[in-house]
Amino acid sequence: MRNSVAIVLLMVFMVGCKPSVPSEYIQPGDMEDILYDFHVSQAMAKEAGNGNYDYKKNLYFQAVLKKYDVSEAVFDSSLVYYYSHADRLKKIYLRVAERLNDDAKVLGASVGDIGKYSQYSESGDTANIWKYESYMMLMPKPTVNRFDFHVDADTSFYKGDSFMFQFLSDFVYQSGVREAVVCLVAKYEGDSIVQTSSRISTAGMTQLRIPRYREGTLKEMNGFILLNGNEEDNDIRKLMFISQIQLIRFHHHKEQDDQKNSPENKTDSLSRTPDSPGRTPDTTSHRTIQRTGGPALSPQGRAGIHGMDNQSFRPAKR
């Protein structure tokens, strides 16, 4: 009887105890503060202007490390540790993202293209149909450098729907080229395929659009986000944090088409939104391909980060 009680108490103790971060590494609370100040400092370096952006970024980063009395070597070794415990680093970054968003609201930031769709559910003419996690973290090494997702169409999808996939991204890089690729492939009735892709090299918002397709209803949509890199860079500080992921579906009605095609609305068919102060311009390059037949992108699994070779993305040949 005594042995049974001892075993139960031992199991409760083991379940309740979570392994802590070794003392030689930066602890989670301090790492959160450092990363928060890091992102603030990088924004300040960008706002400073007058060229020499890379020099200013490094100068501001060194100032952050000095503030917390942490050497660059300790910071890098700690980040490598968190690489191997990605769940912990993800939690830290979620809190950092929340703090940055709260700061933006206090400073009076207006609702941007990301925020204005946050109130939409899965019903209605405009709907956010994203069902997976809205935050993720990628690192340029196998098993954690790519995220794939799959969306099956249902009765809420109509002929003529259009789609927009969007998210915010940020980079924490010690050196090397920042390069990520995002791709969407929409497959319609009759096996027609519309594919669009974009390369990402700077922080900010990325948007990919699948235009209206009037010939059939969407059957499925596949996509991925890939962070390129080399296996030799595993010990170099490289991280891409993606947040506020949304996949917006738009229904279009005949009366909307009639209004858009009216003579008074044909003077300017391209709508432009001026850059807001402090907003990172969209510097991504886009490629849209529309074709009939051929294989659709087939992710490994329904959704999730998985391993792959570190080959650069190449669009399918027509």
Side-chain angles (χ1 to χ4, degrees):
M1 182 65 180
R2 290 180 179 178
N3 289 338
S4 299
V5 173
I7 293 174
V8 171
L9 291 176
L10 179 61
M11 293 177 63
V12 171
F13 177 78
M14 293 177 63
V15 171
C17 291
K18 295 181 180 179
S20 59
V21 176
S23 58
E24 64 265 29
Y25 302 121
I26 301 172
Q27 297 302 299
D30 292 332
M31 180 62 85
E32 176 187 334
D33 291 337
I34 293 174
L35 289 173
Y36 167 79
D37 282 346
F38 167 82
H39 288 291
V40 172
S41 72
Q42 300 307 286
M44 291 171 61
K46 189 166 188 176
E47 289 298 320
N50 300 324
N52 296 325
Y53 177 46
D54 289 336
Y55 170 77
K56 290 177 182 176
K57 285 196 305 180
N58 184 62
L59 188 65
Y60 280 56
F61 174 60
Q62 295 300 327
V64 170
L65 295 181
K66 185 176 180 180
K67 173 183 176 181
Y68 292 95
D69 194 23
V70 172
S71 68
E72 189 168 353
V74 171
F75 177 79
D76 288 337
S77 64
S78 298
L79 202 54
V80 170
Y81 167 80
Y82 282 106
Y83 276 179
S84 60
H85 299 79
D87 55 333
R88 293 183 176 180
L89 187 56
K90 182 177 179 181
K91 291 178 181 178
I92 291 173
Y93 250 104
L94 287 177
R95 292 192 292 269
V96 170
E98 290 174 359
R99 290 172 63 176
L100 293 172
N101 289 337
D102 290 342
D103 287 348
K105 293 176 183 177
V106 170
L107 294 174
S110 59
V111 177
D113 290 333
I114 289 282
K116 70 181 181 181
Y117 295 110
S118 59
Q119 73 272 22
Y120 292 110
S121 61
E122 295 182 26
S123 59
D125 291 340
T126 302
N128 180 18
I129 60 173
W130 185 253
K131 297 182 179 180
Y132 304 113
E133 289 191 57
S134 59
Y135 294 85
M136 72 180 62
M137 186 177 58
L138 300 179
M139 290 171 279
K141 60 180 182 179
T143 74
V144 288
N145 67 335
R146 174 166 168 161
F147 174 81
D148 282 275
F149 61 89
H150 175 91
V151 177
D152 281 319
D154 55 34
T155 55
S156 66
F157 288 68
Y158 301 156
K159 184 182 295 186
D161 284 349
S162 62
F163 301 88
M164 179 172 67
F165 183 59
Q166 61 179 11
F167 54 86
L168 296 175
S169 58
D170 207 348
F171 293 90
V172 180
Y173 265 53
Q174 177 183 359
S175 62
V177 178
R178 300 162 177 80
E179 184 184 49
V181 175
V182 55
C183 180
L184 283 181
V185 178
K187 186 174 181 180
Y188 293 87
E189 295 173 340
D191 290 334
S192 294
I193 293 174
V194 176
Q195 175 177 310
T196 180
S197 63
S198 175
R199 293 185 179 273
I200 309 167
S201 59
T202 60
M205 182 173 67
T206 297
Q207 290 183 333
L208 260 71
R209 295 178 183 270
I210 297 291
R212 298 184 60 188
Y213 185 76
R214 298 182 177 87
E215 305 303 319
T217 304
L218 182 76
K219 292 174 59 179
E220 64 178 16
M221 184 181 296
N222 298 301
F224 65 80
I225 305 173
L226 165 68
L227 181 61
N228 285 321
N230 299 317
E231 293 185 5
E232 299 174 354
D233 298 339
N234 282 351
D235 294 330
I236 298 177
R237 183 199 320 143
K238 289 188 175 183
L239 170 69
M240 181 182 185
F241 184 68
I242 300 169
S243 63
Q244 301 188 49
I245 305 172
Q246 295 178 332
L247 178 59
I248 312 300
R249 185 209 62 222
F250 301 95
H251 286 330
H252 294 268
H253 299 285
K254 187 177 184 302
E255 55 269 23
Q256 292 175 330
D257 294 337
D258 294 340
Q259 185 177 6
K260 288 181 181 179
N261 293 329
S262 61
E264 59 271 20
N265 288 328
K266 287 187 176 181
T267 56
D268 187 2
S269 60
L270 177 63
S271 60
R272 298 176 178 87
T273 304
D275 289 336
S276 341
R279 177 178 172 184
T280 303
D282 185 4
T283 58
T284 56
S285 59
H286 298 272
R287 174 179 174 87
T288 303
I289 304 169
Q290 186 166 332
R291 58 194 175 89
T292 302
L297 176 148
S298 180
Q300 301 176 14
R302 309 296 285 182
I305 297 174
H306 60 82
M308 62 164 295
D309 57 7
N310 287 310
Q311 301 273 342
S312 298
F313 168 75
R314 297 180 178 84
K317 295 182 179 179
R318 300 185 61 174

